[in-house]
């Protein structure tokens, strides 16, 4: 950047003092004026370009935006280290319409030596005389210009800086490209050093990492400061950005303390938009904690979690102090209401924020039902992950690409559901509520109900991470201020691992597993014109299932204590199945039997729903229901029902090879007066049997 001043010496010059706020280039300094009138006129600082010097230019926007001129970085760093945060005096020689001033700046500690002269003296800039003074004898120039020329001559003779032609090639800041996740894995856990090049808002900055020159966007972990809302402009006009309340104040506070400062920082995470999350330490202070203490932002639990429990407690305490004082963002009504709602939900309410229980139903690869220790069913959806839609086996409508994608997603959705079923069904888990999505509308206009999102641990393992790591789900692309899983960083790394190994949803479409299922239950549940054909189809499958003997099956649904919907993996078919040899009371006969029927249903559902079982199919009834025996954990479930008093033995039980087990179980239930035998009188039953025998004789 070159500058010159050809102003008439008779024109009064603007003089002032202030604090150096930023040094974007070697010959451009942003000063926060000390005079109240100038501070009000230039709230973001007075831009002063050093007169009569020409320094090499940094690429606008960092190395990614172009190539630096040789020595541009070293020149900027020389002035930055000298001046940033220091008291200075300045004189404006000339102004332009934009408000930019051209002049001379000197440190308050050394007012006799200007930064203009220092820059030229060290070889980081060349003297650049005004056009009207070029060609004049040195002796006829003003003293400050004579000093510049003398300084340049001294630097040139010593081969300093820009006068060292041989070193130009090595004096250009490298343009460093990187994979954000790999860079995070390389740098996490290390204390890093960098220069803050830009403050986007109070909690988001751009940093040049030293000495590698990686340019990264860093969001402060544990705090969210106000930003700008994008709103549509007037008709035909581009969108406009409207600052949220206290956005400018938070940004100014961060700029005053961080902009162009050398800071220490650590990386706590990275998101899918290549933004890093981390903590910044400056002059011994945690910047996130200070922003919360000043009321410039709100606490963000998910991003604070990687920093540890002790730091999280400090951040919450800092926010609490600002909230009690109603400082800045806490003076806003909606923030006060939000804090009150959070406090009430954490101290009570319909659903606990944390609970333990047993998984009883897998709905899809990201949603399942957990029964709490108090016996309450809670529908749990995993935080920050998206699972594909299972849909139906029917051919989807649309183009070939739409159909292929639907089949592809369904295939992996079924794989993901099976993955969860094998690992979770019947297992105890710990659930922690992370956030609640309020009711709203989807992109297609459909109403979305309020939904809670959870992190679920089984044996200290976050099941969402396991899903993503195996490619059965992807990580949600949250917006910057969205709540998310406290293990969000691990989810991002797990997805990157799945992508690198082409697992699951990241595999080519032609690698999707085939799921060809012969559903023999279609059209059997209700009366339809296809029911007779469906029964014939089921009967045609009976010989194959009979020949298979004892085989594996999965309970897809429990209709009653003895009737189920099964998936037979070997034959890839879905069937209705009814236990033979026992009879469970049906609902609708009387109140006592209705209660017993419901108890039998719950008994079967708790033990069998979505569990692996063994079945032996012997026959089929006229309604297309297959008949046989079912074994769970090596025990005949019909015997279990009889032993609990939920079923009585039928006449065809005599044909079973383990008939004696059925009789013993029923006798035990009679003796203990369980279930249907609660009013059983053995003596009366014996007399009735004798009378029946006499009548028959």
């Amino acid at each position: 950047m070159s500058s010159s001043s050809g102003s008439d010496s008779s024109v009064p010059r603007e003089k002032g003092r202030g604090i150096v706020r930023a040094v974007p280039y070697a010959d451009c300094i942003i000063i926060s004026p000390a005079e109240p009138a100038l501070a009000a006129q230039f709230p973001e600082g007075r831009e002063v370009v050093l007169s009569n010097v020409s320094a090499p230019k940094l690429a606008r926007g960092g190395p990614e935006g172009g190539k630096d001129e040789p020595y541009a970085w070293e020149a900027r760093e020389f002035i930055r280290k000298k001046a940033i945060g220091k008291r200075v005096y300045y004189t404006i020689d000339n102004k332009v319409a934009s408000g930019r001033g051209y002049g001379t700046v000197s440190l308050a500690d050394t007012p006799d030596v200007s930064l203009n002269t220092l820059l030229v003296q060290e070889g980081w800039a060349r003297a650049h005389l005004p056009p009207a003074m070029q060609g004049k004898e040195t002796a006829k120039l003003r003293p400050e210009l004579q000093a510049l020329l003398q300084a340049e001559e001294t630097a040139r003779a010593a081969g300093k800086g820009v006068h060292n032609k041989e070193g130009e090639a090595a004096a250009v800041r490298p343009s460093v490209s990187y994979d954000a996740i790999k860079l995070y894995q390389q740098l996490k856990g290390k204390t890093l050093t960098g220069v803050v090049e830009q403050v986007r808002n109070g909690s988001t900055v751009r940093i040049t990492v030293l000495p590698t020159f990686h340019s990264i966007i860093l969001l402060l972990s544990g705090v969210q400061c106000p930003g700008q809302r994008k709103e549509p402009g007037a008709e035909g006009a581009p969108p406009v950005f409207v600052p949220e309340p206290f956005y400018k104040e938070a940004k100014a506070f961060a700029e005053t303390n961080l902009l162009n400062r050398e800071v220490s920082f650590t990386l706590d995470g990275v998101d899918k938009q290549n933004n890093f999350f981390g903590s910044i330490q400056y002059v011994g202070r945690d910047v996130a904690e200070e922003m919360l203490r000043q009321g410039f932002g709100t606490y963000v639990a998910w991003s604070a979690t990687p920093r540890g429990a002790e730091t999280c407690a400090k951040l919450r305490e800092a926010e609490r102090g600002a909230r009690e004082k109603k400082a800045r963002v806490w003076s806003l009504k909606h923030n006060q209401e939000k804090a009150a709602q959070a406090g009430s939900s954490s101290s009570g309410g319909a659903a606990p924020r944390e609970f333990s229980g047993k998984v009883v139903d897998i709905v899809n690869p990201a949603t399942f039902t957990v029964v709490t220790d108090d016996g309450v069913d809670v529908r749990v959806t995993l935080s920050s992950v998206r699972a594909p839609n299972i849909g139906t086996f029917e051919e989807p409508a649309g183009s070939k690409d739409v159909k292929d994608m639907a089949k592809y997603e369904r295939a992996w959705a079924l794989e993901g559901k099976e993955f969860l079923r094998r690992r979770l069904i019947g297992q105890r888990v710990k659930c922690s509520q992370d956030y609640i999505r309020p009711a709203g509308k989807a992109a297609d206009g459909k109403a979305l109900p309020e939904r809670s999102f959870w992190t679920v641990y089984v044996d200290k393992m976050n099941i969402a991470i396991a899903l993503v790591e195996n490619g059965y789900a992807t990580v949600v692309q949250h917006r910057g201020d969205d709540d998310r899983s406290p293990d969000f960083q691990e989810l991002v790394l797990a997805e990157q691992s799945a992508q690198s190994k082409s697992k699951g949803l990241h595999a080519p479409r032609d690698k999707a597993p085939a799921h060809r299922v012969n559903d023999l239950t279609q059209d059997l549940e209700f009366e339809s014109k296809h029911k007779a054909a469906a029964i014939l189809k089921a009967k045609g499958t009976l010989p194959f299932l009979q020949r298979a003997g004892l085989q594996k099956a999965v309970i897809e649904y429990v209709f009653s204590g003895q009737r189920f919907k099964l998936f037979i993996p070997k034959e890839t078919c879905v069937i209705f199945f009814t236990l033979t040899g026992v009879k469970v009371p049906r609902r609708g006969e009387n109140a006592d039997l209705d209660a017993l029927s419901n108890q039998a249903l719950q008994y079967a559902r708790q033990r069998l729903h979505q569990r692996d079982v063994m079945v032996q199919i012997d026959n089929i009834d006229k309604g297309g229901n297959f008949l046989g025996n079912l074994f769970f954990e090596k025990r005949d479930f019909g015997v279990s029902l009889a032993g609990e008093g939920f079923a009585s033995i039928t006449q065809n039980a005599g044909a079973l090879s383990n008939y004696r087990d059925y009789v013993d179980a029923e006798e035990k239930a009679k003796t203990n007066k369980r279930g249907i035998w609660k009013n059983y009188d053995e003596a009366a039953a014996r007399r009735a049997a004798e009378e029946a025998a006499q009548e028959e004789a």
Side-chain angles (χ1 to χ4, degrees):
M1 179 179 293
S2 63
S3 57
S4 61
S5 174
S7 60
D8 191 330
S9 59
S10 63
V11 177
R13 297 177 178 179
E14 175 191 327
K15 293 187 177 182
R17 55 190 174 86
I19 303 292
V20 175
R21 181 172 184 165
V23 183
Y25 304 100
D27 53 3
C28 181
I29 298 176
I30 309 297
I31 300 172
S32 295
E35 293 81 0
L38 289 174
Q41 184 180 354
F42 302 103
E44 296 186 1
R46 182 74 158 102
E47 183 180 359
V48 180
V49 178
L50 300 183
S51 295
N52 306 313
V53 301
S54 175
K57 301 178 181 64
L58 285 171
R60 191 177 291 271
E64 292 79 8
K67 189 175 181 180
D68 294 346
E69 292 182 357
Y71 301 105
W73 174 261
E74 289 87 343
R76 198 291 295 266
E77 284 297 276
F78 173 78
I79 291 295
R80 185 189 68 78
K81 292 176 180 179
K82 282 275 186 186
I84 194 70
K86 301 288 183 65
R87 292 173 56 246
V88 294
Y89 299 120
Y90 65 91
T91 301
I92 302 299
D93 302 322
N94 192 15
K95 301 177 186 177
V96 294
S98 64
R100 175 187 294 168
Y102 293 83
T104 303
V105 179
S106 60
L107 297 174
D109 295 339
T110 55
D112 296 334
V113 182
S114 69
L115 294 179
N116 310 48
T117 302
L118 276 177
L119 195 63
V120 174
Q121 182 178 298
E122 295 300 322
W124 300 124
R126 292 182 171 87
H128 186 80
L129 301 183
M133 299 183 183
Q134 291 177 7
K136 285 188 177 183
E137 294 180 14
T138 304
K140 295 181 179 180
L141 297 175
R142 295 200 307 266
E144 63 266 26
L145 297 181
Q146 292 182 33
L148 282 176
L149 292 175
Q150 180 59 43
E152 182 179 41
E153 186 59 35
T154 303
R156 183 183 296 110
K160 286 185 175 182
V162 296
H163 306 293
N164 179 10
K165 297 296 183 182
E166 294 180 358
E168 285 187 352
V172 176
R173 182 173 46 155
S175 177
V176 184
S177 60
Y178 59 87
D179 179 289
I181 294 177
K182 290 181 179 178
L183 182 63
Y184 167 73
Q185 292 174 319
Q186 176 187 341
L187 300 180
K188 66 178 179 180
K190 298 179 181 179
T191 299
L192 306 171
T193 301
V195 176
V196 176
E197 301 288 357
Q198 179 191 19
V199 174
R200 295 192 172 184
N201 60 48
S203 55
T204 306
V205 298
R206 180 166 61 87
I207 293 181
T208 296
V209 184
L210 299 177
T212 59
F213 292 105
H214 290 95
S215 181
I216 66 172
I217 299 299
L218 184 73
L219 287 74
L220 291 177
S221 299
V223 62
Q224 176 70 41
C225 293
Q228 297 187 90
R229 297 190 313 273
K230 186 177 180 180
E231 295 186 355
E235 187 175 353
V240 294
F241 290 90
V242 179
E244 296 175 341
F246 299 102
Y247 159 76
K248 292 182 179 179
E249 291 87 341
K251 183 173 182 284
F253 182 82
E255 285 182 340
T256 301
N257 291 279
L258 295 180
L259 186 57
N260 287 160
R261 309 296 178 106
E262 190 168 300
V263 297
S264 296
F265 66 100
T266 56
L267 298 182
D268 303 324
V270 62
D271 66 13
K272 297 182 71 172
Q273 289 80 34
N274 297 331
N275 297 313
F276 292 87
F277 296 89
S279 55
I280 297 178
Q281 300 289 328
Y282 180 65
V283 293
R285 293 185 178 182
D286 185 323
V287 175
E289 184 178 347
E290 193 63 27
M291 299 302 288
L292 289 169
R293 183 176 288 109
Q294 296 292 333
F296 285 122
T298 55
Y299 176 68
V300 180
W302 68 263
S303 65
T305 300
R307 301 189 60 187
E310 184 178 348
T311 300
C312 288
K314 290 181 179 179
L315 296 177
R316 286 194 297 269
E317 180 62 23
E319 183 195 57
R320 187 185 65 80
R323 188 168 64 244
E324 290 177 351
K325 297 175 184 177
K326 295 185 178 180
R328 297 182 174 91
V329 299
W330 295 108
S331 65
L332 303 174
K333 186 176 180 180
H334 69 271
N335 280 337
Q336 296 174 8
E337 293 174 347
K338 186 177 179 180
Q341 291 172 0
S344 63
S345 65
S346 62
S347 59
R353 293 181 65 88
E354 286 192 3
F355 68 88
S356 296
K358 186 171 72 172
V359 178
V360 296
D361 179 45
I362 308 298
V363 180
N364 61 48
T367 304
F368 43 89
T369 303
V370 180
V371 175
T372 70
D373 294 336
D374 297 329
V376 178
D377 285 4
V378 179
R379 178 70 67 89
V380 171
T381 299
L382 297 176
S383 299
S384 297
V385 299
R386 176 196 172 274
N389 184 27
I390 291 180
T392 66
F393 284 105
E394 297 177 2
E395 181 79 8
S399 65
K400 183 180 184 301
D401 189 62
V402 170
K403 294 178 180 179
D404 288 346
M405 178 54 75
K407 291 178 181 178
Y408 176 78
E409 289 207 344
R410 175 177 172 75
W412 288 115
L414 292 171
E415 292 288 316
K417 183 178 179 181
E418 178 65 8
F419 176 85
L420 279 192
R421 186 190 71 80
R422 289 180 176 275
R423 282 158 179 76
L424 290 188
I425 203 73
Q427 298 295 314
R428 283 192 61 78
V429 295
K430 180 181 178 182
C431 305
S432 299
Q433 187 184 80
D434 299 327
Y435 55 93
I436 299 175
R437 184 191 68 194
K441 286 188 177 182
D444 58 3
K446 291 183 179 179
L448 295 174
E450 181 181 275
R451 177 180 292 185
S452 299
F453 291 84
W454 305 75
T455 292
V456 178
Y457 297 96
V458 53
D459 295 331
K460 298 183 179 180
M461 177 187 69
N462 184 341
I463 194 64
I465 294 177
L467 267 176
V468 173
E469 198 169 39
N470 285 277
Y472 299 129
T474 56
V475 180
V476 173
Q477 286 196 352
H478 289 289
R479 294 178 300 178
D481 58 346
D482 284 350
D483 291 322
R484 58 194 80 182
S485 167
D487 293 333
F488 181 76
Q489 185 50 54
E490 285 72 16
L491 289 171
V492 172
L493 295 178
E495 184 177 53
Q496 193 271 341
S497 175
Q499 289 172 341
S500 65
K501 298 174 183 177
S502 297
K503 282 189 172 183
L505 291 163
H506 310 290
R509 288 194 189 181
D510 58 357
K511 300 296 183 183
H515 285 274
R516 298 180 179 87
V517 178
N518 183 16
D519 190 350
L520 299 176
T521 66
Q522 285 185 337
D523 301 316
L524 288 180
E525 190 67 18
F526 306 102
E527 293 296 332
S528 76
K529 60 181 181 180
H530 304 296
K531 186 169 184 176
I535 293 174
L536 286 176
K537 183 179 179 181
K539 289 181 177 179
T541 310
L542 177 63
F544 301 99
L545 297 177
Q546 285 176 321
R547 282 198 297 270
L550 193 64
Q551 57 191 313
K552 291 182 180 180
V554 178
I555 305 286
E556 290 202 345
Y557 196 80
V558 178
F559 295 103
S560 70
Q562 71 178 112
R563 186 169 182 265
F564 315 98
K565 186 177 183 179
L566 302 183
F567 172 64
I568 310 291
K570 185 178 179 181
E571 301 295 334
T572 62
C573 64
V574 178
I575 64 171
F576 287 135
F577 177 84
T578 302
L579 293 177
T580 188
V582 292
K583 180 183 178 182
V584 175
R586 291 185 177 182
R587 286 186 290 270
E589 296 183 13
N590 59 60
D592 289 341
L593 291 181
D594 281 355
L596 192 61
S597 177
N598 289 332
Q599 291 173 21
L601 171 63
Q602 292 303 318
Y603 179 82
R605 185 167 289 170
Q606 290 173 5
R607 285 157 179 78
L608 299 183
H609 182 61
Q610 293 187 340
R611 299 294 189 95
D612 292 320
V613 297
M614 302 294 289
V615 295
Q616 181 165 327
I617 295 172
D618 302 320
N619 211 336
I620 190 171
D621 66 14
K622 61 183 180 180
N625 299 290
F626 291 85
L627 308 174
N629 297 89
L630 183 150
F631 297 86
F632 175 63
E633 295 181 347
K634 299 182 180 181
R635 180 173 172 80
D636 189 324
F637 194 68
V639 174
S640 298
L641 287 173
E644 294 293 331
F646 291 133
S648 57
I649 300 175
T650 60
Q651 291 183 350
N652 59 7
L656 300 173
S657 60
N658 59 341
Y659 173 67
R660 188 69 254 171
D661 294 337
Y662 279 80
V663 174
D664 292 343
E666 186 177 73
E667 290 299 323
K668 184 178 179 181
K670 290 178 179 178
T671 302
N672 296 328
K673 297 184 181 298
R674 306 189 70 172
I676 58 177
W677 311 109
K678 67 177 182 179
N679 298 319
Y680 176 69
D681 186 335
E682 185 176 0
R686 189 181 302 111
R687 287 194 299 271
E690 291 174 355
E691 291 174 0
Q694 290 175 0
E695 290 179 1
E696 185 177 352

